[in-house]
PDB file of all heavy atoms in Angstrom:
ATOM      1  N   TRP B 159     126.646  84.263 135.630  1.00  0.00           N
ATOM      2  CA  TRP B 159     125.851  85.354 135.724  1.00  0.00           C
ATOM      3  C   TRP B 159     125.215  85.631 137.054  1.00  0.00           C
ATOM      4  O   TRP B 159     124.642  86.697 137.257  1.00  0.00           O
ATOM      5  CB  TRP B 159     124.680  85.456 134.746  1.00  0.00           C
ATOM      6  CG  TRP B 159     125.136  85.363 133.246  1.00  0.00           C
ATOM      7  CD1 TRP B 159     126.353  85.640 132.782  1.00  0.00           C
ATOM      8  CD2 TRP B 159     124.352  85.085 132.086  1.00  0.00           C
ATOM      9  NE1 TRP B 159     126.365  85.537 131.349  1.00  0.00           N
ATOM     10  CE2 TRP B 159     125.127  85.169 130.975  1.00  0.00           C
ATOM     11  CE3 TRP B 159     123.007  84.752 131.834  1.00  0.00           C
ATOM     12  CZ2 TRP B 159     124.651  85.008 129.636  1.00  0.00           C
ATOM     13  CZ3 TRP B 159     122.540  84.565 130.673  1.00  0.00           C
ATOM     14  CH2 TRP B 159     123.307  84.644 129.496  1.00  0.00           C
ATOM     15  N   LYS B 160     125.422  84.749 137.954  1.00  0.00           N
ATOM     16  CA  LYS B 160     124.610  84.726 139.224  1.00  0.00           C
ATOM     17  C   LYS B 160     125.245  85.752 140.061  1.00  0.00           C
ATOM     18  O   LYS B 160     124.506  86.198 141.111  1.00  0.00           O
ATOM     19  CB  LYS B 160     124.744  83.343 139.911  1.00  0.00           C
ATOM     20  CG  LYS B 160     123.903  82.229 139.190  1.00  0.00           C
ATOM     21  CD  LYS B 160     124.049  80.833 139.828  1.00  0.00           C
ATOM     22  CE  LYS B 160     123.614  80.871 141.297  1.00  0.00           C
ATOM     23  NZ  LYS B 160     123.770  79.547 141.871  1.00  0.00           N
ATOM     24  N   ARG B 161     126.423  86.216 139.987  1.00  0.00           N
ATOM     25  CA  ARG B 161     127.020  87.275 140.887  1.00  0.00           C
ATOM     26  C   ARG B 161     127.691  88.305 140.099  1.00  0.00           C
ATOM     27  O   ARG B 161     128.425  87.960 139.064  1.00  0.00           O
ATOM     28  CB  ARG B 161     128.070  86.600 141.850  1.00  0.00           C
ATOM     29  CG  ARG B 161     127.518  85.626 142.846  1.00  0.00           C
ATOM     30  CD  ARG B 161     128.580  85.080 143.780  1.00  0.00           C
ATOM     31  NE  ARG B 161     127.960  84.166 144.748  1.00  0.00           N
ATOM     32  CZ  ARG B 161     127.419  84.397 145.822  1.00  0.00           C
ATOM     33  NH1 ARG B 161     127.369  85.744 146.205  1.00  0.00           N
ATOM     34  NH2 ARG B 161     127.021  83.381 146.634  1.00  0.00           N
ATOM     35  N   GLY B 162     127.479  89.482 140.404  1.00  0.00           N
ATOM     36  CA  GLY B 162     128.132  90.761 139.908  1.00  0.00           C
ATOM     37  C   GLY B 162     127.494  91.230 138.515  1.00  0.00           C
ATOM     38  O   GLY B 162     127.691  92.401 138.223  1.00  0.00           O
ATOM     39  N   THR B 163     126.635  90.399 137.867  1.00  0.00           N
ATOM     40  CA  THR B 163     126.090  90.882 136.542  1.00  0.00           C
ATOM     41  C   THR B 163     124.701  91.624 136.821  1.00  0.00           C
ATOM     42  O   THR B 163     124.123  91.458 137.926  1.00  0.00           O
ATOM     43  CB  THR B 163     125.754  89.799 135.647  1.00  0.00           C
ATOM     44  OG1 THR B 163     124.683  89.017 136.008  1.00  0.00           O
ATOM     45  CG2 THR B 163     126.949  88.815 135.578  1.00  0.00           C
ATOM     46  N   VAL B 164     124.378  92.384 135.820  1.00  0.00           N
ATOM     47  CA  VAL B 164     123.049  93.061 136.081  1.00  0.00           C
ATOM     48  C   VAL B 164     121.791  92.232 135.771  1.00  0.00           C
ATOM     49  O   VAL B 164     120.791  92.610 136.051  1.00  0.00           O
ATOM     50  CB  VAL B 164     122.989  94.360 135.076  1.00  0.00           C
ATOM     51  CG1 VAL B 164     124.137  95.332 135.446  1.00  0.00           C
ATOM     52  CG2 VAL B 164     123.068  93.854 133.527  1.00  0.00           C
ATOM     53  N   VAL B 165     122.060  90.997 135.323  1.00  0.00           N
ATOM     54  CA  VAL B 165     120.835  90.154 135.138  1.00  0.00           C
ATOM     55  C   VAL B 165     120.680  89.094 136.254  1.00  0.00           C
ATOM     56  O   VAL B 165     119.933  88.229 136.183  1.00  0.00           O
ATOM     57  CB  VAL B 165     120.940  89.412 133.766  1.00  0.00           C
ATOM     58  CG1 VAL B 165     120.762  90.431 132.596  1.00  0.00           C
ATOM     59  CG2 VAL B 165     122.093  88.521 133.650  1.00  0.00           C
ATOM     60  N   ARG B 166     121.575  89.200 137.274  1.00  0.00           N
ATOM     61  CA  ARG B 166     121.515  88.246 138.426  1.00  0.00           C
ATOM     62  C   ARG B 166     119.980  88.365 139.161  1.00  0.00           C
ATOM     63  O   ARG B 166     119.503  89.491 139.191  1.00  0.00           O
ATOM     64  CB  ARG B 166     122.486  88.407 139.363  1.00  0.00           C
ATOM     65  CG  ARG B 166     122.495  89.766 140.125  1.00  0.00           C
ATOM     66  CD  ARG B 166     123.795  89.890 140.975  1.00  0.00           C
ATOM     67  NE  ARG B 166     123.809  91.203 141.728  1.00  0.00           N
ATOM     68  CZ  ARG B 166     124.264  92.353 141.333  1.00  0.00           C
ATOM     69  NH1 ARG B 166     124.685  92.586 140.122  1.00  0.00           N
ATOM     70  NH2 ARG B 166     124.237  93.367 142.131  1.00  0.00           N
ATOM     71  N   SER B 167     119.605  87.215 139.506  1.00  0.00           N
ATOM     72  CA  SER B 167     118.258  87.171 140.195  1.00  0.00           C
ATOM     73  C   SER B 167     118.012  85.851 140.645  1.00  0.00           C
ATOM     74  O   SER B 167     118.599  84.758 140.335  1.00  0.00           O
ATOM     75  CB  SER B 167     117.100  87.634 139.262  1.00  0.00           C
ATOM     76  OG  SER B 167     116.765  86.520 138.418  1.00  0.00           O
ATOM     77  N   TRP B 168     116.919  85.658 141.609  1.00  0.00           N
ATOM     78  CA  TRP B 168     116.533  84.428 142.128  1.00  0.00           C
ATOM     79  C   TRP B 168     116.092  83.526 140.972  1.00  0.00           C
ATOM     80  O   TRP B 168     116.352  82.235 140.978  1.00  0.00           O
ATOM     81  CB  TRP B 168     115.559  84.459 143.171  1.00  0.00           C
ATOM     82  CG  TRP B 168     115.096  83.368 143.880  1.00  0.00           C
ATOM     83  CD1 TRP B 168     116.079  82.456 144.494  1.00  0.00           C
ATOM     84  CD2 TRP B 168     113.811  82.782 144.234  1.00  0.00           C
ATOM     85  NE1 TRP B 168     115.449  81.295 145.023  1.00  0.00           N
ATOM     86  CE2 TRP B 168     114.022  81.529 144.869  1.00  0.00           C
ATOM     87  CE3 TRP B 168     112.534  83.219 143.842  1.00  0.00           C
ATOM     88  CZ2 TRP B 168     112.930  80.753 145.378  1.00  0.00           C
ATOM     89  CZ3 TRP B 168     111.495  82.476 144.215  1.00  0.00           C
ATOM     90  CH2 TRP B 168     111.739  81.224 145.033  1.00  0.00           C
ATOM     91  N   LEU B 169     115.357  84.005 140.063  1.00  0.00           N
ATOM     92  CA  LEU B 169     114.927  83.236 138.847  1.00  0.00           C
ATOM     93  C   LEU B 169     116.080  82.647 138.091  1.00  0.00           C
ATOM     94  O   LEU B 169     116.015  81.432 137.713  1.00  0.00           O
ATOM     95  CB  LEU B 169     113.930  84.075 138.018  1.00  0.00           C
ATOM     96  CG  LEU B 169     112.614  84.268 138.466  1.00  0.00           C
ATOM     97  CD1 LEU B 169     111.789  85.320 137.650  1.00  0.00           C
ATOM     98  CD2 LEU B 169     111.777  82.979 138.710  1.00  0.00           C
ATOM     99  N   LEU B 170     117.165  83.494 137.899  1.00  0.00           N
ATOM    100  CA  LEU B 170     118.293  82.920 137.175  1.00  0.00           C
ATOM    101  C   LEU B 170     118.859  81.789 138.042  1.00  0.00           C
ATOM    102  O   LEU B 170     119.309  80.758 137.556  1.00  0.00           O
ATOM    103  CB  LEU B 170     119.279  84.102 137.119  1.00  0.00           C
ATOM    104  CG  LEU B 170     120.823  83.559 136.475  1.00  0.00           C
ATOM    105  CD1 LEU B 170     120.520  82.983 135.099  1.00  0.00           C
ATOM    106  CD2 LEU B 170     121.600  84.729 136.458  1.00  0.00           C
ATOM    107  N   ASP B 171     118.913  81.938 139.399  1.00  0.00           N
ATOM    108  CA  ASP B 171     119.481  80.953 140.259  1.00  0.00           C
ATOM    109  C   ASP B 171     118.708  79.605 140.006  1.00  0.00           C
ATOM    110  O   ASP B 171     119.254  78.487 139.993  1.00  0.00           O
ATOM    111  CB  ASP B 171     119.420  81.309 141.746  1.00  0.00           C
ATOM    112  CG  ASP B 171     120.319  82.580 141.986  1.00  0.00           C
ATOM    113  OD1 ASP B 171     121.126  82.883 141.196  1.00  0.00           O
ATOM    114  OD2 ASP B 171     120.051  83.060 143.098  1.00  0.00           O
ATOM    115  N   LEU B 172     117.343  79.761 139.926  1.00  0.00           N
ATOM    116  CA  LEU B 172     116.500  78.524 139.825  1.00  0.00           C
ATOM    117  C   LEU B 172     116.710  77.918 138.451  1.00  0.00           C
ATOM    118  O   LEU B 172     116.583  76.655 138.412  1.00  0.00           O
ATOM    119  CB  LEU B 172     115.019  78.917 140.029  1.00  0.00           C
ATOM    120  CG  LEU B 172     114.669  79.360 141.424  1.00  0.00           C
ATOM    121  CD1 LEU B 172     113.269  79.820 141.453  1.00  0.00           C
ATOM    122  CD2 LEU B 172     114.938  78.325 142.393  1.00  0.00           C
ATOM    123  N   LEU B 173     116.751  78.688 137.371  1.00  0.00           N
ATOM    124  CA  LEU B 173     117.130  78.167 135.982  1.00  0.00           C
ATOM    125  C   LEU B 173     118.509  77.391 136.013  1.00  0.00           C
ATOM    126  O   LEU B 173     118.610  76.291 135.461  1.00  0.00           O
ATOM    127  CB  LEU B 173     117.080  79.297 134.952  1.00  0.00           C
ATOM    128  CG  LEU B 173     117.435  78.812 133.587  1.00  0.00           C
ATOM    129  CD1 LEU B 173     116.628  77.675 133.049  1.00  0.00           C
ATOM    130  CD2 LEU B 173     117.380  79.987 132.598  1.00  0.00           C
ATOM    131  N   VAL B 174     119.402  77.946 136.572  1.00  0.00           N
ATOM    132  CA  VAL B 174     120.815  77.353 136.726  1.00  0.00           C
ATOM    133  C   VAL B 174     120.609  75.941 137.446  1.00  0.00           C
ATOM    134  O   VAL B 174     121.301  74.944 137.032  1.00  0.00           O
ATOM    135  CB  VAL B 174     121.815  78.215 137.300  1.00  0.00           C
ATOM    136  CG1 VAL B 174     123.117  77.464 137.608  1.00  0.00           C
ATOM    137  CG2 VAL B 174     122.191  79.377 136.477  1.00  0.00           C
ATOM    138  N   ALA B 175     119.923  76.063 138.533  1.00  0.00           N
ATOM    139  CA  ALA B 175     119.672  74.731 139.223  1.00  0.00           C
ATOM    140  C   ALA B 175     119.062  73.618 138.373  1.00  0.00           C
ATOM    141  O   ALA B 175     119.431  72.507 138.425  1.00  0.00           O
ATOM    142  CB  ALA B 175     118.899  75.010 140.445  1.00  0.00           C
ATOM    143  N   ALA B 176     118.098  74.061 137.660  1.00  0.00           N
ATOM    144  CA  ALA B 176     117.420  73.121 136.703  1.00  0.00           C
ATOM    145  C   ALA B 176     118.375  72.586 135.753  1.00  0.00           C
ATOM    146  O   ALA B 176     118.267  71.510 135.337  1.00  0.00           O
ATOM    147  CB  ALA B 176     116.247  73.782 136.087  1.00  0.00           C
ATOM    148  N   LEU B 177     119.197  73.510 135.095  1.00  0.00           N
ATOM    149  CA  LEU B 177     120.075  73.095 134.065  1.00  0.00           C
ATOM    150  C   LEU B 177     121.319  72.218 134.654  1.00  0.00           C
ATOM    151  O   LEU B 177     121.724  71.249 133.884  1.00  0.00           O
ATOM    152  CB  LEU B 177     120.749  74.224 133.369  1.00  0.00           C
ATOM    153  CG  LEU B 177     119.713  75.089 132.543  1.00  0.00           C
ATOM    154  CD1 LEU B 177     120.396  76.369 132.054  1.00  0.00           C
ATOM    155  CD2 LEU B 177     119.338  74.238 131.355  1.00  0.00           C
ATOM    156  N   GLU B 178     121.596  72.485 135.819  1.00  0.00           N
ATOM    157  CA  GLU B 178     122.630  71.588 136.547  1.00  0.00           C
ATOM    158  C   GLU B 178     122.048  70.104 136.695  1.00  0.00           C
ATOM    159  O   GLU B 178     122.814  69.245 136.609  1.00  0.00           O
ATOM    160  CB  GLU B 178     123.061  72.204 137.824  1.00  0.00           C
ATOM    161  CG  GLU B 178     123.947  73.380 137.593  1.00  0.00           C
ATOM    162  CD  GLU B 178     124.240  74.103 138.946  1.00  0.00           C
ATOM    163  OE1 GLU B 178     123.530  73.880 139.993  1.00  0.00           O
ATOM    164  OE2 GLU B 178     125.284  74.884 138.963  1.00  0.00           O
ATOM    165  N   LYS B 179     120.751  70.066 136.963  1.00  0.00           N
ATOM    166  CA  LYS B 179     120.174  68.794 137.223  1.00  0.00           C
ATOM    167  C   LYS B 179     119.994  68.079 135.827  1.00  0.00           C
ATOM    168  O   LYS B 179     120.133  66.824 135.749  1.00  0.00           O
ATOM    169  CB  LYS B 179     118.873  68.960 137.933  1.00  0.00           C
ATOM    170  CG  LYS B 179     118.066  67.644 138.202  1.00  0.00           C
ATOM    171  CD  LYS B 179     116.896  67.851 139.019  1.00  0.00           C
ATOM    172  CE  LYS B 179     116.092  66.687 139.206  1.00  0.00           C
ATOM    173  NZ  LYS B 179     114.819  66.857 139.905  1.00  0.00           N
ATOM    174  N   ASP B 180     119.644  68.770 134.864  1.00  0.00           N
ATOM    175  CA  ASP B 180     119.239  68.235 133.472  1.00  0.00           C
ATOM    176  C   ASP B 180     119.771  69.138 132.459  1.00  0.00           C
ATOM    177  O   ASP B 180     118.996  70.065 131.907  1.00  0.00           O
ATOM    178  CB  ASP B 180     117.768  68.027 133.448  1.00  0.00           C
ATOM    179  CG  ASP B 180     117.332  67.426 132.143  1.00  0.00           C
ATOM    180  OD1 ASP B 180     118.129  66.985 131.366  1.00  0.00           O
ATOM    181  OD2 ASP B 180     116.120  67.402 131.843  1.00  0.00           O
ATOM    182  N   PRO B 181     121.082  69.137 132.093  1.00  0.00           N
ATOM    183  CA  PRO B 181     121.696  70.151 131.205  1.00  0.00           C
ATOM    184  C   PRO B 181     120.889  70.503 129.873  1.00  0.00           C
ATOM    185  O   PRO B 181     120.849  71.590 129.425  1.00  0.00           O
ATOM    186  CB  PRO B 181     123.056  69.656 130.933  1.00  0.00           C
ATOM    187  CG  PRO B 181     123.382  68.817 132.084  1.00  0.00           C
ATOM    188  CD  PRO B 181     122.042  68.198 132.584  1.00  0.00           C
ATOM    189  N   GLY B 182     120.259  69.537 129.333  1.00  0.00           N
ATOM    190  CA  GLY B 182     119.663  69.727 127.989  1.00  0.00           C
ATOM    191  C   GLY B 182     118.113  69.836 128.284  1.00  0.00           C
ATOM    192  O   GLY B 182     117.364  69.950 127.303  1.00  0.00           O
ATOM    193  N   LEU B 183     117.605  69.699 129.422  1.00  0.00           N
ATOM    194  CA  LEU B 183     116.297  69.820 129.835  1.00  0.00           C
ATOM    195  C   LEU B 183     115.438  68.723 129.060  1.00  0.00           C
ATOM    196  O   LEU B 183     114.286  68.940 128.702  1.00  0.00           O
ATOM    197  CB  LEU B 183     115.687  71.172 129.576  1.00  0.00           C
ATOM    198  CG  LEU B 183     116.261  72.351 130.294  1.00  0.00           C
ATOM    199  CD1 LEU B 183     115.655  73.665 129.992  1.00  0.00           C
ATOM    200  CD2 LEU B 183     116.220  72.242 131.840  1.00  0.00           C
TER     201      LEU B 183
END
């Protein structure tokens, strides 16, 4: 969703970064 979608944003980037580090939080 980070590129091209209507919901892309910096907050989405940060959430993805957090999930990549800890997928299940």
